[in-house]
Structure formats: C-alpha cells, structure tokens
Amino acid sequence: MEEDNNSSNDSTDAYSEKFDALKALTRPNVRIPVPDAPIYDNLSKFESVALKGLVISSKPKNDASKASKQQLPARRFLPSQMPIQSTSRDNNQSGKNVLNRMGKAQGPLFALYQYMENRIRVKITTRNDRGVRGYVEAYIAAFDKHWNLALEDCFEHWTRKVKRKAPALGDPSVNPLLVPSTSSVNSSTKVISRTKKFETLERHVPQLLLRGEHVVMVNKVIS
C-alpha cells in the first residue's frame, strides 16, 4: 500500500520524473508547487511572458526551413502531361507577315489587293476629328487588316481652317522688315482657294503612309 501511495504521489508531483498530468487533473488532493502562480489562457501567452527578453537564435529555424524545402516531394507527371517540344520559331513565323497575308485577304480587303496587283489608281477619302478632310489619289503599295495604307505617287487635296495669329516679331507698321511670311505651307503645297475661315490646299508626294483610322472610303479612279 505504501508503495502504491508513493507511486501515486510521484505521478502527481510536478517535480517528479514520473509526473502524470492526467492523474494530476483527476485526483482531488494534488499539491500545487506554486499556489500563487498566475493563470494563462494558453501556452502561447505563457511562452510570451516566460521567454520575454530572451534572444532566440534564428539559425535552427533556417536549417529547419531548408530541410523542409529539400524534403518536398517532386511532382510526378504522366507521359501525357509532359511538356511538348515545339518546332523552330523561324518555321512558324515564316508565313506570318504583311506581304504574305495580303494575298489571303477576303471581303473588302480583297478589292485592295486587286487594286495593288493590277496597279489601279484609287481615290481615298480621308477624315479628321470633325468630319471629312479631303481625298488622296494614289497607287496602293501595301496594306494590312487595319486599313493602314502605304501609297505611291500621291496627289493630296484637303481643306483646313485658316490660322490667324498676331505677328510675333512686333508691329509691321513700325518695321516692315519684321512682317512674317504669309505662306505657312511647304513649297510643294499649293493654296487653291481661301475664304475667311477655310483654305483648300493640294500637294504631290512620292510616298505616303495613311493610317486606317483616317480612311473613310476607297474608290477606283475612272480615267
């Protein structure tokens, strides 16, 4: 009986190596080592108070993280899930350019291809941010699906507002030599007509790139 009592006392003694927490919780007469010890809700609060001010080395954590990374299992792919070896990029991209796609055009773009192949002169109506700007008569050299046009032997006719600004070099009545040139256009551009608000101009350029957003309509020039 004494041995049983001693063993039971050892199992409920917090300082004993044979301490059994389950028995300590179920036995009514258990000697608490520190009766005035503070009570914490969980172990994390106890550790935050008990280990406060202690510097814990981070090397074991790094070693543990490295070990966990090394022990991660590799993903196993089925033969059908393995990456497929692609062909050469040059072979794939050889037929994808504007020159090859123009011959495969359909719908209205096919008419542009016929005008280009048969060297037919066309009249292209252009627009600005407010309405119709004018027109361009030229030969089509190349085009794309966005109606961007590369033109040759271009004759352009357009209308724009007259810009009226005060002379920047002083009063011309005081010094006539300071009168600026009335022509604000290039030497190849001609002013056909002029009103109070608008002027009509025309010019000839050997090559011209016209963006698709400025194209209104393309018509065949009937000679």
Side-chain angles (χ1 to χ4, degrees), residues 160-179:
R160 69 180 182 184
K161 292 184 67 174
V162 177
K163 296 181 180 179
R164 300 182 181 276
K165 294 184 178 180
L169 301 178
D171 189 359
S173 61
V174 177
N175 189 356
L177 298 178
L178 298 179
V179 178

Side-chain angles (χ1 to χ4, degrees), residues 116-156:
M116 181 186 68
E117 287 294 313
N118 299 327
R119 196 67 178 174
I120 298 175
R121 195 168 181 84
V122 295
K123 179 180 180 181
I124 305 166
T125 306
T126 59
R127 64 181 296 274
N128 53 21
D129 57 340
R130 295 184 179 181
V132 176
R133 177 178 180 270
Y135 65 88
V136 180
E137 292 185 1
Y139 295 103
I140 299 177
F143 64 91
D144 62 4
K145 63 180 180 180
H146 303 290
W147 288 79
N148 298 319
L149 305 177
L151 307 176
E152 295 178 344
D153 190 14
C154 311
F155 175 79
E156 186 177 11

